[in-house]
Amino acid sequence: MGFRKDFLWGGAIAAHQAEGAWDVDGKGISIADVMTAGDNVTKTPRRITRGVLEGEDYPNHLGIDFYHHYKEDIALFAEMGFKAFRTSIAWTRIYPNGDDETPNEAGLKFYDDMFDECRKYGIEPVITLSHFEMPYHLADKYNGFMDRRCIDFFVRYAKTCFERYKGKVKYWMTFNEINNQAEFVKMGAHHLVQEGAVLVKEGDDIEKMMYTSAHHELLASALAVKACHEIDPAAKIGCMIGMNGVYPATSNPEDVLNAQKAMQQKYYYVEVHVRGHYASGMLKKFERKGYDFILPGDNEILAEGKVDYIGFSYYMSFATKYTGRFGDTFDFSEEDYVRNTYLKASDWGWQIDPVGLRWCLNWFNDRFELPMMIVENGFGAYDKRLEDGTVDDQYRIDYLKAHIKAMRDAVNYDGVDLLGYTMWAPIDIVSASTGEYDKRYGFIYVDYNNAHEGDMSRSRKKSFYWYKKVCETNGEEL
Ligand code: BGP
């Protein structure tokens, strides 16, 4: 009973939310570098600007300056007993424009040094190749993954990484939360179909663009998986899914069917990654809508690039009620979500549901029978620093404790094969959805806020000591 002996306890961040140094050592502009700061209090959303504009606030330019602080931060992770550290490689450090012929040596060297620093403490790097940070040039010139040439650019970048970090990185993932874009409906003009870095404008058929660019990403992912297996057979490469299960709001069969359709629409990506082909329901949908983006040869590529494990993030669950809007097709849109009255929510409205994590682990396990890694799970909150410099973040401990218990039950009672757990995020960083500093997840407090006040110094919160115990006891003591 209990977690495997080599269970990977750790934490996860992403390059663009932490590194800062956005234009240092030859780095190019990424899509994250043209996203402005938002604010949860005033409900100001992030905006995407066409290029870096004077006078705008771009929080990812500074991040928490992990680029210059990584030794100090990794030492703190080691102090907690981390066995794994998940982060991403900023594509634009390696290929600044994305379509460059040769990689940038200074960028490659940064990750060499950072991975060495992890290994010094016996910490396994778990690396995402693309975490919402495609080169802006590719979005601007090619409209991101709408253009098949971006498949080649991504594969070139991936191969460069596999070759360079062979032996240093054992766990890879291709696209972070590739399925987030399934909720394209609310994204109006001048928004972004996220991971594919597709910029949409008034009058565009967003739905068609999403499925098309996602298909190209799935091809890019499959080709990268194949290349990884060839270049470094000892490495494991997974997909990364943003998993937030959708429940029916009631036992009305139409609500139940609607929830099932929502799951199919949001998670068809997993089937493609794991089984190497689309589910028949999705192919039927494409046929019905007249989408013809699957070209001869594509299915063979997908079949040859099956992942070794499923990486996923889990923060919350959703509930849906059928509105009849889409008739018999039961197409699903974000507007079909309703509040789940059984659950409390964070200050950002994220519904807290530890049991849902066990549900999700079972959902994956029933279908795919692959090892899994929970590569994100955490609680964003407004932390208050006390006079003595500490933070009493018991609410964060409560959240994580309940979720770890749920995953332990899934291992002990449901037979789930779990490789590791890298909580999000061990150190305060810039929020991806809102661009805020004040939405904090860390065990480590970073002295910096939305108003750009603070000296970036790091200090330990109460949860730091709690998680240290969790790592030390392999999840026995929560
Ligand atoms: C996931 C992303 C992360 C991360 C996390 C928390 O969707 O993969 O990049 O930021 O969510 O979200 P947020 O930062 O918006 O609170």
Side-chain angles (χ1 to χ4, degrees):
M1 297 292 268
F3 296 108
R4 49 203 291 166
K5 293 278 162 296
D6 56 354
F7 193 81
L8 295 169
W9 291 101
I13 62 170
H16 71 103
Q17 290 167 261
E19 285 176 8
W22 70 289
D23 58 353
V24 172
D25 291 338
K27 181 182 171 298
I29 300 171
S30 87
I31 197 78
D33 292 324
V34 297
M35 290 183 78
T36 62
D39 191 301
N40 183 48
V41 178
T42 57
K43 300 289 169 224
T44 310
R46 301 192 83 172
R47 284 175 294 113
I48 291 162
T49 58
R50 295 310 294 254
V52 173
L53 307 180
E54 195 81 16
E56 294 281 7
D57 179 5
Y58 300 109
N60 301 66
H61 287 195
L62 185 58
I64 55 160
D65 198 24
F66 181 74
Y67 194 77
H68 297 107
H69 285 256
Y70 74 87
K71 289 193 179 165
E72 174 190 352
D73 295 341
I74 291 170
L76 285 164
F77 301 156
E79 190 183 322
M80 278 186 276
F82 277 25
K83 303 276 184 292
F85 169 49
R86 172 179 177 241
T87 187
S88 58
I89 293 175
W91 186 344
T92 49
R93 287 200 194 284
I94 313 301
Y95 287 97
N97 297 298
D99 57 0
D100 322 67
E101 288 297 325
T102 50
N104 170 32
E105 177 54 33
L108 286 166
K109 169 132 187 356
F110 169 70
Y111 293 104
D112 257 329
D113 295 346
M114 202 247 282
F115 299 155
D116 287 345
E117 194 68 16
C118 291
R119 296 223 155 270
K120 186 171 116 186
Y121 297 103
I123 296 175
E124 193 76 58
V126 176
I127 301 303
T128 317
L129 286 164
S130 180
H131 191 130
F132 309 156
E133 50 208 355
M134 198 185 201
Y136 176 70
H137 174 73
L138 296 185
D140 194 39
K141 179 167 176 200
Y142 302 85
N143 209 8
F145 272 103
M146 280 307 287
D147 191 317
R148 280 188 175 240
R149 282 174 290 179
C150 285
I151 300 174
D152 302 332
F153 300 142
F154 177 78
V155 174
R156 176 160 59 189
Y157 156 63
K159 282 183 176 167
T160 302
C161 294
F162 301 145
E163 274 156 14
R164 178 76 174 220
Y165 306 120
K166 183 176 171 170
K168 272 189 198 182
V169 175
K170 207 169 128 199
Y171 293 97
W172 294 97
M173 277 168 281
T174 53
F175 292 99
N176 185 68
E177 294 187 341
I178 188 169
N179 61 313
N180 273 3
Q181 52 198 328
E183 289 169 352
F184 52 86
V185 178
K186 266 198 178 162
M187 307 189 87
H190 307 298
H191 274 251
L192 176 82
V193 177
Q194 202 169 25
E195 187 57 74
V198 174
L199 299 165
V200 295
K201 50 186 190 320
E202 205 71 61
D204 277 347
D205 182 345
I206 303 176
E207 185 175 10
K208 186 173 181 190
M209 289 170 85
M210 189 284 290
Y211 283 117
T212 307
S213 59
H215 176 63
H216 297 159
E217 277 187 87
L218 288 163
L219 289 171
S221 176
L223 288 164
V225 168
K226 192 174 174 213
C228 182
H229 289 154
E230 283 163 6
I231 295 168
D232 189 358
K236 302 274 176 225
I237 182 157
C239 54
M240 199 306 200
I241 301 296
M243 183 57 163
N244 306 293
V246 184
Y247 304 146
T250 72
S251 53
N252 176 345
E254 286 190 321
D255 289 348
V256 176
L257 185 60
N258 202 53
Q260 188 174 47
K261 297 312 274 181
M263 289 299 291
Q264 289 168 353
Q265 186 171 312
K266 284 177 59 140
Y267 299 103
Y268 77 88
Y269 306 79
V270 198
E271 264 124 19
V272 183
H273 280 305
V274 175
R275 297 203 180 113
H277 59 79
Y278 282 91
S280 62
M282 292 312 294
L283 293 174
K284 203 72 194 165
K285 186 192 282 253
F286 300 158
E287 187 190 322
R288 170 163 54 86
K289 290 176 183 278
Y291 297 164
D292 53 2
F293 50 75
I294 302 179
L295 302 185
D298 288 359
N299 288 331
E300 289 69 20
I301 292 174
L302 297 178
E304 287 178 10
K306 296 183 207 167
V307 295
D308 303 313
Y309 68 96
I310 297 170
F312 73 92
S313 61
Y314 178 83
Y315 291 90
M316 61 193 139
S317 64
F318 291 109
T320 181
K321 194 153 181 47
Y322 182 57
T323 59
R325 213 144 36 94
F326 294 110
D328 289 344
T329 68
F330 279 84
D331 280 356
F332 178 79
S333 120
E334 209 187 8
E335 288 147 44
D336 294 330
Y337 286 137
V338 292
R339 174 116 179 66
N340 185 336
T341 52
Y342 292 95
L343 303 176
K344 292 204 175 90
S346 77
D347 287 332
W348 281 260
W350 294 20
Q351 301 186 112
I352 303 162
D353 180 12
V355 175
L357 175 57
R358 185 170 170 191
W359 186 91
C360 290
L361 283 160
N362 276 274
W363 187 90
F364 281 124
N365 201 41
D366 289 347
R367 283 165 182 76
F368 304 115
E369 295 179 321
L370 266 195
M372 285 179 261
M373 202 187 302
I374 298 171
V375 295
E376 287 185 30
N377 171 237
F379 190 63
Y382 293 109
D383 288 345
K384 255 214 188 76
R385 203 139 68 125
L386 305 172
E387 293 228 321
D388 63 358
T390 61
V391 175
D392 184 359
D393 56 344
Q394 187 58 44
Y395 38 86
R396 181 165 295 113
I397 297 173
D398 293 343
Y399 176 98
L400 293 170
K401 192 187 280 193
H403 285 77
I404 294 173
K405 182 174 176 317
M407 76 182 193
R408 194 169 66 191
D409 289 346
V411 169
N412 283 342
Y413 306 126
D414 307 330
V416 162
D417 183 6
L418 201 57
L419 300 169
Y421 174 82
T422 55
M423 60 75 66
W424 187 272
I427 183 165
D428 296 342
I429 52 177
V430 174
S431 152
S433 58
T434 65
E436 291 170 292
Y437 281 97
D438 292 346
K439 188 177 188 186
R440 297 174 185 276
Y441 284 86
F443 299 134
I444 300 162
Y445 187 90
V446 176
D447 182 26
Y448 207 72
N449 64 23
N450 284 0
H452 299 287
E453 297 156 345
D455 61 8
M456 291 262 173
S457 60
R458 277 65 165 154
S459 54
R460 298 164 186 77
K461 301 181 195 174
K462 182 178 176 184
S463 56
F464 181 99
Y465 303 98
W466 170 80
Y467 197 60
K468 187 172 190 295
K469 240 304 138 35
V470 175
C471 296
E472 268 167 21
T473 62
N474 199 20
E476 284 300 315
E477 222 172 286
L478 296 181

